[in-house]
Amino acid sequence: MSAPTPETATTPDSARASLEALRTEIAKAVVGQDPAVTGLVVALLCRGHVLLEGVPGVAKTLLVRALAATLELDTKRVQFTPDLMPSDITGSLVYDARTAEFSFQPGPVFTNLLLADEINRTPPKTQSSLLEAMEERQVTVDGTPRPLPEPFLVAATQNPVEYEGTYPLPEAQLDRFLLKLTVPLPSREDEINVLTRHANGFDPRNLKAAGVRPVAGPAELQAARDAVAKTSVSPEITGYVVDICRATRESPSLTLGVSPRGATALLSTARAWAWLTGRDYVTPDDVKALALPTLRHRVHLRPEAEMEGVTADSVITSILAHVPVPR
């Protein structure tokens, strides 16, 4: 395929407009989850992965499916269970009796948007099968590395209230998720809207019938990523991000603070948010806006603080209130 001419190439402004249109399209299927939609877009811009946390029935799966439909991305879903094996995700070598040779059968990870449903229901061995895919964007089977499609995003879901029979994600894997987004129960008005849609014939399994249409594609996404990479960051903002992350390491409520990888993630998400809001530079408000979803899963509470009702969000919010803001 020939390269686009200057007249037909996607501009940063048109890419931004296309990504903003995602909200309208996804809202045709999902009601009242704008922060989660924005978080997923930010993750795509930063080439990161997302952990979605919410009780069953708040449209986590539907949200990911609607995002894939609006971006014309290939998507696959894996239901994580206790008996799931790593090869069920990455793929395996299959013997072909006709040729007397082994051939590679790709697993569901070979997609653009992988929905890992209830990821904490499978043992650590299977959870770790995603580590290489998430970090290196490839999987190695029988010593042969196999690259994954581009773009590639893992959207994993977990239930925050039912822990029986679950395996908490190890810190090393949690740190690979760019964002942890909470998907709350809808407000009364939004819930009435959901029921009204279903009463009028809405079928969550048929997004085309709901009017969800593609509004962006790989070209718009790449143009947006290029523009985000050019968003300027002043030394004062860099220092502000570092001060926030260092403060988590000194908090008496935490046994584990944010690593340098987390600081890099916060800078990346702040840049993406700044660009999405129409600026080519990052402000302290951009950093504050993305601090909670970027950092909440990278800290570990002390048991005594947890017993007193302290949460990761409350600790980070307190740190944001006390770290000096650059002028």
Side-chain angles (χ1 to χ4, degrees):
M1 182 180 292
S2 60
T5 63
E7 290 77 20
T8 61
T10 303
T11 66
D13 288 341
S14 65
R16 185 188 291 114
S18 296
L19 292 177
E20 287 174 351
L22 287 177
R23 295 170 183 263
T24 303
E25 291 304 308
I26 293 177
K28 294 177 181 177
V30 181
V31 177
Q33 299 293 358
D34 278 352
V37 173
T38 300
L40 285 166
V41 173
V42 167
L44 280 168
L45 292 178
C46 299
R47 302 180 81 242
H49 309 286
V50 175
L51 183 61
L52 294 166
E53 187 173 85
V55 299
V58 290
K60 299 186 296 295
T61 301
L62 180 60
L63 179 61
V64 175
R65 289 180 51 240
L67 176 68
T70 58
L71 286 172
E72 288 188 297
L73 297 178
D74 180 49
T75 182
K76 289 185 175 69
R77 175 179 177 270
V78 178
Q79 181 67 49
F80 279 66
T81 56
D83 60 348
L84 196 71
M85 298 297 292
S87 59
D88 295 330
I89 299 171
T90 61
S92 59
L93 294 176
V94 178
Y95 182 73
D96 189 341
R98 292 174 299 178
T99 62
E101 293 180 349
F102 286 92
S103 61
F104 178 66
Q105 183 66 36
V109 75
F110 286 86
T111 187
N112 297 123
L113 209 166
L114 177 67
L115 175 60
D117 223 348
E118 294 190 289
I119 190 173
N120 57 337
R121 291 215 170 275
T122 199
K125 181 179 180 179
T126 304
Q127 291 174 0
S128 65
S129 66
L130 281 175
L131 276 175
E132 182 186 13
M134 293 169 68
E135 187 67 23
E136 306 296 336
R137 298 178 186 276
Q138 67 176 28
V139 294
T140 302
V141 178
D142 197 35
T144 303
R146 304 174 190 275
L148 296 173
E150 180 62 35
F152 173 69
L153 181 145
V154 173
T157 72
Q158 66 177 12
N159 182 349
V161 295
E162 185 184 4
Y163 291 109
E164 185 178 350
T166 63
Y167 303 83
L169 294 177
E171 300 299 334
Q173 185 163 3
L174 280 173
D175 207 30
R176 259 65 175 193
F177 284 100
L178 181 73
L179 299 171
K180 180 181 178 181
L181 304 175
T182 57
V183 185
L185 289 166
S187 65
R188 183 177 185 273
E189 182 179 347
D190 286 339
E191 195 164 3
I192 289 174
N193 193 350
V194 170
L195 267 63
T196 301
R197 290 186 180 193
H198 279 264
N200 291 333
F202 171 71
D203 183 359
R205 299 171 187 81
N206 190 350
L207 296 179
K208 286 186 178 180
V212 178
R213 61 184 179 85
V215 293
E220 287 79 10
L221 188 57
Q222 188 56 52
R225 287 175 171 176
D226 293 341
V228 169
K230 297 175 183 176
T231 303
S232 64
V233 182
S234 68
E236 292 77 13
I237 293 296
T238 303
Y240 183 50
V241 170
V242 169
D243 289 343
I244 291 171
C245 295
R246 291 181 69 85
T248 65
R249 302 168 202 162
E250 300 166 1
S251 171
S253 299
L254 302 175
T255 59
L256 178 69
V258 177
S259 68
R261 181 191 284 130
T264 302
L266 180 55
L267 186 62
S268 298
T269 56
R271 291 177 85 182
W273 176 245
W275 180 80
L276 279 172
T277 53
R279 282 177 283 102
D280 59 359
Y281 58 91
V282 180
T283 69
D285 286 341
D286 298 323
V287 176
K288 289 182 177 181
L290 272 297
L292 284 179
T294 308
L295 305 181
R296 59 165 59 110
H297 57 297
R298 303 175 192 272
V299 300
H300 197 279
L301 289 168
R302 291 188 181 277
E304 55 268 29
E306 202 165 2
M307 291 178 64
E308 293 172 1
V310 176
T311 64
D313 282 14
S314 65
V315 172
I316 295 170
T317 300
S318 176
I319 288 172
L320 292 174
H322 288 91
V323 172
V325 179
R327 300 296 179 185

